[in-house]
Amino acid sequence: MAPPAISPTGGWIGTTIFVVIFLAALTVFGLRVGQLVTLLAKARREDRTDHLEERIGDFLLVVLGQSGVLRDPIPGLAHFFTFWGFIIIQFGLLNLILGAFNGSLPLIGHDHTFAALLDLFVLFVLVSLIVFAVRRGIVRPRQLSSRLHGPWDGFIILGLIFLVLLTLALVETFGFAASHGEEWSLLGSWFGPSFYGLGTATNVALYRVSWWAHILTVLSFLVYLPGSKHLHLMATPFNVFFRNYGPRGALPLLENLEEREDYGVSKAEQFTWKQLLDGYACTECGRCNTVCPATNTGKPLLPKEIILGVKESLLDRRHEIVGEPNLFQKLPLADVRSNGHEEIQPLVGGVISKEALWACTTCGACMEICPVSIEHVPKIVDMRRSLVMEESDFPPEVTSLFNNIERNGNPWEISNDRRAEWAAGLGVPLMAENPDAEVLYWVGCMGSFDQRNRKVATALVKILKAAGVNFAILGPEESCTGDPARRIGNEYLWQMMAQQNIEVLNSYGFNTAQTETATAQNGHDHNGQTSRARTIITACPHCFNTIKNEYPQLGGHYEVIHHSVFIDRLIREGRLQLPAGFDHRKLTYHDPCYVGRYNGVYDEPRRVLTVINSNGVTEMRRNRNRSFCCGGGGGRAWMEERIGKRVNQTRVNEALETEAEVLAAACPFCIMMFEDGVKGVEAEERLQVEDIAEIVARALEEAATPSTARAGQ
């Protein structure tokens, strides 16, 4: 640290020069940051002030604890030490700055413990820089590359950090030598005595040169920072604090559809401020790319490029958004991030290709793994909304899907009056016939019309009957929830279907908000019946997620349970008697994205399978919150897959790696995609695809008829 007896600036002239340079650097930095903040202020409003306690807790865990980056151990540890080294070195920097005015920080300014801690972190950061340099220069994982940004920005940052460390070490070394050890530091004590022979005057001169070199390097870093990839150093704490605490599976609602002038996002400034803050916070680590099913099967989607593309487009258009450029904005330093394009490209179809947007399965793996709480999927859907509702630009095969949902209430050219045909002869009552049913089985379009998934619906009915559940179905009163339409980008069609279904569900007293109000008033619902909690169960994760997490946006509040959870509950309550170890086949389980990542259902289906399977569950390499998508989400089940490998076949091959005989699923889309995938890889003789309900129903038949041959024997 700067010795009081030695002025680092050499007197009042040097100090004055320092003050001028320091204030100039702060001014440039402040103007650049002010421009970035102004861009956020010009964006759409969004309230992210709820759940204050959780926000503070996650801030401490993710920002200070670096829990997100530590999920990838080697670069994570390097980032952890760089982050904390950066913070601690700032205290050392402040102490050096105060030295220009013959001052020092109280308590720690001349404390040997702090000096030792500072230098230890200098060494830790140096090792971390070596790790980063090896990764970028030698290992060069694909996830670190970007078509929008070259590699040089990363190396410039590494170089600047190294110069900060080197100049700090020189300051300490020559400060120790000039003061003959009076100003102690760990690095100074190691290297300073070697320079005693130069004499005090020379060491003082070298100390001052080193001090200026350190200060100028730090100030250069400060000016460079807002235009570099390391903008995330400033943005990440805010991005984590303002993360989404609503249901993870709920897309943002487009309000006042009839009165809006736009129906999605075609320009960067149409995003909300938080969506734009995501771009500032992106560390460009590329972890999202490593888990994306589209990226991993050769599609043109790279989630990192979506986030960087939005940021790129925003900064390219900053003059148009903010207004006429001021003097600072005309300086080269203001545009260190420039991609070199002379013409400003449109966001959708330019910076971000349409093919990339349509490749997304909305599985949420990118958001799950992101260490800084970036929300990729809502941005993609917002841009899809613009293409669909403003430009009518979408894959041609989707046209029939939209038309059928609107006309028939389901994705096919089948009259919705036939929705209950699958239940003929099963003794399944309609809600109109059994309005007091405690449980509504929401069958969904796949369970009602798809021949393969009708078997799942039948199996679930057998389970409900065996457990003595008082249930019913809506039959023709049920319509498509609108999930595929919404995720493809047709918000108007989703809202139309949602309002229609909400009206039906409310008419039977399933709306928990209405029930609570009625109970508080007189103990009866709006039909005069005694108010009570009523449950909706469904085997479709997309219906489950939409009704549970998205219908509340339009006033529909319901208790919705996925069938795997409901079956687990029935088993634990003793309402289902299953033969333990009934199924001897080797089994693996696939976590559906809309049950697992979006709604946190992982243990219940595994408990069910463990009860009836003697071998338990053999996990695939990617499981639970890192499960690999089947390829059917985000409306992709209705689109052709023309580029790269097929997502469903990739996942089926992972199941085959476990040598399992059965791929257990809990989603009709997964079943459809996997059965096609099994055929595609010609593994029909090696792997069966079954829903949890089918396995449980067969076990119930075994319990009821002991003479029945056991599965797998």
Side-chain angles (χ1 to χ4, degrees):
M1 300 297 108
I6 306 174
S7 171
T9 59
W12 69 269
I13 296 178
T15 301
T16 302
I17 294 173
F18 163 71
V19 169
V20 171
I21 294 175
F22 183 74
L23 292 179
L26 284 183
T27 300
V28 173
F29 172 78
L31 287 171
R32 185 67 175 108
V33 171
Q35 187 183 62
L36 294 172
V37 173
T38 301
L39 289 171
L40 298 185
K42 294 283 186 179
R44 286 181 170 165
R45 302 296 177 87
E46 182 178 10
D47 184 12
R48 292 292 182 100
T49 58
D50 57 344
H51 299 271
L52 184 58
E53 291 184 3
E54 290 92 333
R55 293 186 187 281
I56 294 173
D58 280 343
F59 178 88
L60 296 175
L61 180 66
V62 178
V63 177
L64 300 185
Q66 295 283 286
S67 62
V69 298
L70 286 172
R71 285 182 291 182
D72 194 353
I74 295 178
L77 282 171
H79 195 281
F80 175 88
F81 286 118
T82 302
F83 171 80
W84 277 104
F86 175 83
I87 292 176
I88 293 173
I89 287 172
Q90 299 318 299
F91 286 100
L93 172 66
L94 183 57
N95 204 49
L96 289 176
I97 290 174
L98 291 175
F101 306 95
N102 295 320
S104 64
L105 286 173
L107 300 179
I108 64 173
H110 297 284
D111 181 71
H112 285 199
T113 301
F114 173 76
L117 179 66
L118 171 63
D119 286 349
L120 285 175
F121 267 93
V122 167
L123 297 176
F124 292 151
V125 174
L126 179 61
V127 173
S128 299
L129 290 183
I130 295 172
V131 172
F132 290 140
V134 169
R135 273 173 57 82
R136 287 189 170 275
I138 300 176
V139 179
R140 291 188 290 183
R142 288 182 57 193
Q143 68 199 67
L144 294 180
S145 63
S146 170
R147 68 176 181 84
L148 291 172
H149 296 174
W152 295 111
D153 186 46
F155 286 112
I156 290 172
I157 292 294
L158 293 180
L160 284 171
I161 296 175
F162 175 75
L163 286 177
V164 169
L165 300 181
L166 176 62
T167 53
L168 177 59
L170 291 175
V171 168
E172 293 187 350
T173 296
F174 293 118
F176 186 95
S179 65
H180 293 277
E182 180 182 342
E183 287 301 316
W184 186 90
S185 64
L186 188 62
L187 293 178
S189 66
W190 291 352
F191 303 112
S194 301
F195 295 93
Y196 282 164
L198 295 178
T200 301
T202 301
N203 280 318
V204 168
L206 290 173
Y207 165 75
R208 287 171 175 165
V209 170
S210 301
W211 185 91
W212 275 106
H214 183 66
I215 293 297
L216 292 175
T217 300
V218 170
L219 294 180
S220 298
F221 200 158
L222 185 70
V223 170
Y224 183 76
L225 187 64
S228 74
K229 69 179 289 290
H230 274 60
L231 172 61
H232 74 264
L233 289 172
M234 298 184 296
T236 291
F238 297 100
N239 208 57
V240 170
F241 184 82
F242 291 116
R243 63 182 295 184
N244 177 35
Y245 282 88
R248 297 190 68 180
L251 292 171
L253 178 70
L254 273 187
E255 299 178 346
N256 305 317
L257 277 177
E258 301 295 340
E259 304 170 7
R260 297 180 68 93
E261 296 180 357
D262 55 65
Y263 299 94
V265 171
S266 59
K267 300 177 181 178
E269 64 267 27
Q270 292 175 318
F271 284 114
T272 69
W273 65 267
K274 173 57 177 66
Q275 289 177 311
L276 296 180
L277 183 61
D278 280 349
Y280 295 176
C282 181
T283 66
E284 301 189 28
C285 65
R287 296 186 191 189
C288 50
N289 291 349
T290 66
V291 297
C292 175
T295 305
N296 279 267
T297 54
K299 311 299 188 293
L301 169 64
L302 295 107
K304 182 176 80 171
E305 301 299 292
I306 297 292
I307 303 305
L308 295 181
V310 171
K311 175 186 173 184
E312 181 92 0
S313 182
L314 178 71
L315 297 182
D316 279 343
R317 290 170 43 81
R318 65 190 184 278
H319 300 328
E320 181 180 340
I321 298 168
V322 175
E324 288 299 317
N326 57 35
L327 176 61
F328 168 69
Q329 292 167 342
K330 295 179 181 178
L331 295 175
L333 283 174
D335 201 25
V336 293
R337 164 226 55 84
S338 174
N339 60 10
H341 297 149
E342 294 183 2
E343 296 183 5
I344 296 178
Q345 299 185 72
L347 173 64
V348 179
V351 178
I352 297 173
S353 72
K354 297 176 184 179
E355 292 77 15
L357 297 178
W358 293 122
C360 179
T361 67
T362 67
C363 69
C366 50
M367 298 192 296
E368 177 72 25
I369 202 170
C370 180
V372 293
S373 304
I374 289 173
E375 298 156 22
H376 309 68
V377 173
K379 293 183 188 63
I380 291 174
V381 174
D382 274 339
M383 288 183 278
R384 283 183 173 186
R385 286 170 172 173
S386 174
L387 289 172
V388 171
M389 293 191 288
E390 294 182 359
E391 302 180 29
S392 296
D393 185 353
F394 44 81
E397 58 266 31
V398 170
T399 302
S400 60
L401 172 70
F402 290 160
N403 290 337
N404 289 330
I405 291 176
E406 183 174 358
R407 296 169 185 170
N408 303 321
N410 66 76
W412 298 281
E413 293 183 2
I414 304 174
S415 171
N416 211 49
D417 292 339
R418 300 173 57 187
R419 189 173 276 270
E421 284 184 358
W422 68 272
L426 295 177
V428 178
L430 300 176
M431 281 300 301
E433 301 166 347
N434 183 21
D436 292 330
E438 296 179 358
V439 172
L440 168 63
Y441 171 26
W442 185 279
V443 185
C445 299
M446 295 290 282
S448 298
F449 297 106
D450 178 68
Q451 291 299 321
R452 172 63 184 87
N453 281 288
R454 282 183 168 187
K455 297 177 182 179
V456 178
T458 300
L460 185 53
V461 165
K462 292 178 180 178
I463 294 170
L464 297 176
K465 284 181 171 290
V469 177
N470 180 12
F471 76 100
I473 64 174
L474 286 172
E477 290 187 278
E478 177 185 301
S479 294
C480 178
T481 61
D483 165 82
R486 188 177 215 199
R487 274 146 186 82
I488 291 173
N490 196 336
E491 177 78 2
Y492 182 87
L493 181 55
W494 174 77
Q495 290 196 22
M496 183 177 73
M497 302 309 298
Q499 288 165 351
Q500 178 178 321
N501 286 321
I502 288 171
E503 183 177 346
V504 171
L505 292 172
N506 289 355
S507 70
Y508 287 108
F510 279 88
N511 197 323
T512 57
Q514 291 180 351
T515 301
E516 290 170 2
T517 301
T519 302
Q521 292 176 349
N522 55 23
H524 295 81
D525 64 19
H526 65 293
N527 289 325
Q529 299 172 333
T530 301
S531 298
R532 64 189 186 283
R534 307 174 78 190
T535 302
I536 301 171
I537 67 168
T538 178
C540 177
H542 297 267
C543 295
F544 165 66
N545 179 74
T546 301
I547 299 173
K548 178 178 184 287
N549 295 325
E550 296 188 321
Y551 278 14
Q553 295 174 343
L554 299 176
H557 301 269
Y558 309 104
E559 181 186 347
V560 192
I561 301 176
H562 188 250
H563 79 314
S564 62
V565 178
F566 195 73
I567 293 171
D568 176 61
R569 179 184 298 179
L570 294 176
I571 294 173
R572 288 188 289 115
E573 291 176 353
R575 298 173 68 179
L576 287 178
Q577 301 300 320
L578 298 173
F582 152 74
D583 197 332
H584 295 178
R585 299 171 299 175
K586 190 173 184 180
L587 176 151
T588 189
Y589 173 69
H590 166 78
D591 292 279
C593 306
Y594 277 76
V595 168
R597 268 189 294 272
Y598 281 129
N599 287 283
V601 176
Y602 298 113
D603 295 330
E604 294 89 344
R606 286 174 170 79
R607 282 201 297 259
V608 172
L609 293 171
T610 300
V611 167
I612 57 180
N613 190 278
S614 57
N615 300 308
V617 176
T618 301
E619 298 288 2
M620 283 184 272
R621 175 169 51 89
R622 291 181 278 200
N623 59 76
R624 292 183 175 264
N625 65 332
R626 296 203 175 191
S627 178
F628 194 78
C629 182
C630 74
R636 288 297 315 172
W638 315 103
M639 303 180 202
E640 294 294 332
E641 193 170 357
R642 299 183 177 92
I643 304 173
K645 297 182 293 184
R646 291 189 174 272
V647 177
N648 58 350
Q649 293 180 12
T650 301
R651 186 58 166 169
V652 165
N653 283 327
E654 287 190 10
L656 290 171
E657 289 173 3
T658 68
E659 299 183 348
E661 301 167 74
V662 180
L663 172 52
C667 170
F669 288 93
C670 293
I671 289 175
M672 177 183 71
M673 298 300 291
F674 290 150
E675 292 207 331
D676 287 346
V678 168
K679 294 175 184 177
V681 299
E682 300 180 349
E684 296 97 320
E685 301 299 322
R686 298 164 54 196
L687 186 66
Q688 293 177 282
V689 181
E690 297 181 10
D691 188 272
I692 286 178
E694 294 178 296
I695 301 173
V696 173
R698 193 163 57 252
L700 288 171
E701 292 174 359
E702 165 76 6
T705 311
S707 60
T708 301
R710 292 194 171 193
Q713 294 183 340

